[in-house]
Structures are given as structure tokens and as C-alpha cells.
Amino acid sequence: MTRPNPIDGALVGQVRELLARREDRSLPQGYVRPAPTVTMQADGDAAGAELLLYDEIGFWGIWAVDVAAALSTVSGPLHVKINSPGGDVFDGIAIFNMLADYPDQVTVTVDSLAASAASFIAMAGDTIRMNRASQMMIHDASGGCRGHAADMRAMAGLLDQLSATIAGIYAARAGGTPEEWRERMLVDGGFGTWYTAEEAVEAGLADELVPLPIAEPEPVDSGQAAARAAAALFPYGADDAGRWRLAALAAPDDQASAPEPPRFTDAASPQAPAEPTPEPTPAPPTAAVEPEPAVEPDPDPWAVSIAHLLEPPTPEGVLASLRRAVL
């Protein structure tokens, strides 16, 4: 997408006149005006130079004259990185024009915030990128005035003119009409519209998102993966020796099935007197009863475990065990 045309010369003349008046004012005592950071890459580096606009635009932050001085020291492709709440509209217009007129490729990356004047400065890029979690905000021009009614009316007319000009910058870059963008600037009583990085790209205010860094997956060794799976399924080994080690470490599940240990008595110890055996009472005659069918005793759990351990594992058996464990 091409950059928008520079602003008309009449408005630029008004900007320069107002900037000249402002520069006659002195900063508060002890205040040092920040300067934009510019980094020039090595000769022949395709990355070119990098310009950081990491402050307010205008009197309390980065002035247009500072950007002009920085750009006079660089050449080749230019990467402008923005993190700014905006500020003075006239300094912003001047910076926008300097970047729009820059003789080489200009890439703009919104690192965090491009609001107010910083948002239309960003429109000067040949390519506009929104960094991760960054945002952009556009709104109507605002200002203060002290004087008579005629002064107030003149200020209102100037603000309308500036807002219409800024809306034209958005329309030239993102498409649509200046009137449509002015409506978005007037949302919420003139406080404007906020765009997430994705919304800015969707609206045409930016061209692309900076992608998230994705680590390349490490190659998987199929042999090592199979060995880890076998170790998880058979921690004591799948051979006979491993199954015997597991059998030696396991304990019987049913202690009641263990035989009772023999009892030993001392021959010299006194024996309790035997109780008299009662005489059997003859049972009354009963009808013949058919014998109940023999019931097979429950298998010994310990014997079942040992037999299972001695059987060589089969793929079908392992899969059946895994299905039972999952279900």
C-alpha cells in the first residue's frame, strides 16, 4: 500500500508559524527535553537505520526539529518504532511529512501504543506493523483557547480543519472517506476509537501483525520413544528375569489364604482337663436329600498373579489391559 500524499502547503505554513512561536518559550528550569533515539546500522546492512519515537510528541517530548536532526544523519531503509501517547498535532504533522518524504523505504512498527498524533505519524510508513499486544487510538483534535467569542470561533474552526485533515490521512492510507474516519474520531464525544493490533490490521490502519516466536520442535528418535514406552509399561523388564523380580517384590493379595503356622507346646506345661464328651442324641428320621453340586473353590489370587507374570506378554494382552485401565 502506498503512503498518503503530504499535507497541503498552506497548512504546513501555518504549522511552521505556530512552531516558531512555541520554540520561543523556554522549558521549566531543570527540565531536559528528550531526543529521539536513532541507530545507524553498519554500512551495507539491509536493515538500514532505526528511529525510536518512545515519548510524547511536542513540547514535553520529541519535537519535529529533533526528528529532522536525527534523519539528517541516516540513509538507506528506515525502521521507525513507536510507543507514544501522541501530543502536539503540529509537531505530529511535521514528523509525518518528514517520514512520508523520506527517500528510502520506511517501515513503521507500533511496539506498544500509537495514540492521537502518534497514530497518524504511523501512517507515513510504506509498511505498518503492529507488534504483539499493541494498540492504536484515533480521536478528534483538541485544544485550548483564551479570549473573546471570535477567538473561540476561530479555534473551533481550526480544530475542525485539523480533524478533517487528519481524517484524510487515515482515509488515504486505510481506504474509505475522510467523513467515515471523522465519525470514528468523534466516537464517545470525541475521545475516539481504540484498536487492538488485530483490529488495526482489519481496519486497514496497519498491514501486518508481528508474529509470535515459535520454537522449532526437536526431532524425535523413534527408537528412544519406543524404549521409553516399554519402560513405562514394563518397569521391571519384559523378559523372564524381570517378571521374577516383580514376583519377588510383590506381596500376596489374600493373607487369609496363607496356611496357619504350626503350634508347639511344652510337654512339661500343665494341660487343661479334658471336658466330658456329651453322649450323642439320636437324630429323628428325615427324608432323603439330594446332594448339592460341588462348588469349585475360588482361585488363589497369589497363584493367579504368579501365573500372569510367568506368561509372556502379547500385543493383544497389553492392548486389552490398556483398554481396561482407560475405561
Side-chain angles (χ1 to χ4, degrees), residues 51 98 129 135 142 173 178 186 200:
L51 175 66
M98 280 186 279
R129 308 162 73 234
Q135 293 199 358
S142 63
R173 189 62 172 81
L186 285 168

Side-chain angles (χ1 to χ4, degrees), residues 180-196:
E180 291 171 343
W181 285 100
R182 184 73 188 278
E183 289 180 4
R184 295 168 188 148
M185 294 163 63
L186 285 168
V187 168
D188 197 13
F191 283 99
T193 303
W194 286 80
Y195 295 89
T196 64

Side-chain angles (χ1 to χ4, degrees), residues 3-4 10 14-15 46 54 71 84 88 91 104 132 136 154 163 177 201 215 230 234 257 294 303 312 314 320:
R3 286 178 282 178
Q14 296 180 30
V15 169
Y54 267 37
L71 293 180
S84 172
D88 190 286
D91 270 62
D104 212 312
R132 299 172 288 275
M136 187 177 288
S163 295
T177 65
V201 173
F234 306 103
S257 62
T314 62

Side-chain angles (χ1 to χ4, degrees), residues 283-297:
T286 58
V289 179
E290 295 183 2
E292 296 181 0
V295 179
E296 294 291 336

Side-chain angles (χ1 to χ4, degrees), residues 111-112 130-135 197-198:
D111 276 343
S112 180
M130 298 296 291
N131 216 331
R132 299 172 288 275
S134 60
Q135 293 199 358
E198 293 79 7

